[in-house]
Amino acid sequence: QLQASGGGLVQAGGSLRLSCAASGGTLSGYRLGWFRQAPGKEREFVSAIMFSGGTTRYANSVKGRFAISKDTAKDTVFLQMNSLKPEDTAVYYCATTRIVWSEIANHEHYGVWGQGTEVTVSS
């Protein structure tokens, strides 16, 4: 299971740190992705990390503002979100996959999803 947390209400320009913790298993060998879904919009890729290697990828819309990291000992992945914009408002989900890295941004390849944590950025 995955447990996402850390969402909240923040003003534009502010920061939040999301966490995604695995329970009942390990993230070793998996790739973990963060996705978001705003009301009326499709789920979109935000960032991903190879849990065992550390390679990362970001959507262009968040590159330079968001940073994904991991705590191997705690089977937890973090998403540090800085310089937040109103358009970052969405429910953020974490999920795991073993798909090849070239397909990492496709949410259809992810099997286990966390429950989502809501991020609201006010202008």
Side-chain angles (χ1 to χ4, degrees):
Q1 285 187 330
L2 297 175
Q3 182 74 30
S5 62
L9 173 64
V10 64
Q11 288 189 331
S15 299
L16 285 172
R17 189 174 84 151
L18 306 184
S19 299
C20 180
S23 61
T26 177
L27 291 174
S28 178
Y30 284 89
R31 292 88 193 269
L32 190 134
W34 284 99
F35 293 81
R36 65 187 182 187
Q37 189 164 18
K41 295 188 176 182
E42 294 195 355
R43 192 164 297 192
E44 66 169 345
F45 172 77
V46 176
S47 183
I49 189 168
M50 286 188 179
F51 197 77
S52 297
T55 301
T56 60
R57 179 173 291 182
Y58 298 93
N60 288 336
S61 59
V62 306
K63 202 172 293 184
R65 300 188 297 122
F66 290 11
I68 192 169
S69 62
K70 61 185 175 74
D71 184 329
T72 304
K74 296 184 178 180
D75 278 310
T76 301
V77 173
F78 305 99
L79 185 68
Q80 178 67 42
M81 307 187 296
N82 300 324
S83 302
L84 283 161
K85 304 175 181 180
E87 50 263 44
D88 294 318
T89 295
V91 177
Y92 284 69
Y93 300 89
C94 58
T96 57
T97 183
R98 290 187 184 270
I99 198 67
V100 294
W101 195 244
S102 59
E103 293 292 320
I104 205 70
N106 187 341
H107 66 88
E108 294 180 352
H109 296 312
Y110 288 74
V112 177
W113 290 81
Q115 84 287 5
T117 184
E118 189 167 5
V119 172
T120 303
V121 184
S122 63
S123 57

